[in-house]
């Protein structure tokens, strides 16, 4: 099972809206629906109750959240650890508004 499916599940559980989850994940709403259907098929249970303007987790969906979080976090940690072992450097990117930058950086 692809970790993206679990990331999609967690995002939908958080925002409770297929369109918003799709927007946050930079995928289509159809992709969100397909991934959720894939999970529901795999576990042979409904994870969300889809009402007209309201999405709720089923009891199965509630129980899956903890497992999904552990799986996503574990895979992210493994990816980071393996990339560090192979000598890859970590990258830090910072941003700020011009006013904040001027206040903290004074080359005097």
């Amino acid at each position: 099972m692809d970790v993206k499916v679990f990331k999609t599940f967690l995002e939908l559980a958080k925002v409770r809206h297929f369109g918003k989850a799709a927007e946050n994940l930079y995928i289509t709403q159809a992709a969100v629906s397909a991934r959720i259907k894939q999970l529901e098929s795999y576990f042979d249970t409904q994870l969300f109750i889809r009402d007209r303007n309201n999405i709720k987790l089923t009891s199965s969906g509630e129980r899956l959240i903890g497992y999904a979080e552990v799986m996503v976090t574990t895979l992210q940690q493994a990816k980071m650890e393996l990339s560090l072992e192979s000598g890859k450097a970590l990258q830090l990117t910072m941003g700020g508004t011009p006013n904040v930058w001027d206040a903290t950086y004074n080359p005097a």
Side-chain angles (χ1 to χ4, degrees):
M1 177 81 45
D2 190 348
V3 72
K4 292 176 187 173
V5 175
F6 290 101
K7 287 181 179 180
T8 303
F9 166 75
L10 290 172
E11 186 63 29
L12 183 58
K14 183 174 83 174
V15 299
R16 309 287 170 111
H17 189 276
F18 280 85
K20 185 67 175 166
E23 184 180 312
N24 292 349
L25 295 168
Y26 304 104
I27 60 175
T28 64
Q29 190 170 336
V32 172
S33 293
R35 289 177 182 181
I36 297 305
K37 284 180 185 177
Q38 183 181 0
L39 265 181
E40 290 177 331
S41 175
Y42 180 80
F43 289 112
D44 194 26
T45 189
Q46 187 177 1
L47 300 172
F48 293 94
I49 298 169
R50 298 154 178 91
D51 289 332
R52 190 171 185 97
N53 289 323
N54 193 11
I55 297 173
K56 298 177 187 174
L57 282 164
T58 63
S59 61
S60 296
E62 289 283 352
R63 291 193 312 268
L64 183 59
I65 286 178
Y67 293 108
E69 289 173 339
V70 168
M71 290 175 65
V72 169
T73 301
T74 301
L75 286 172
Q76 288 172 337
Q77 288 173 341
K79 184 177 180 179
M80 185 174 73
E81 185 175 319
L82 293 175
S83 67
L84 290 176
E85 282 183 4
S86 63
K88 296 179 183 173
L90 289 175
Q91 180 178 351
L92 174 65
T93 304
M94 295 177 59
T97 64
N99 295 345
V100 171
W101 187 255
D102 292 340
T104 58
Y105 179 72
N106 189 354

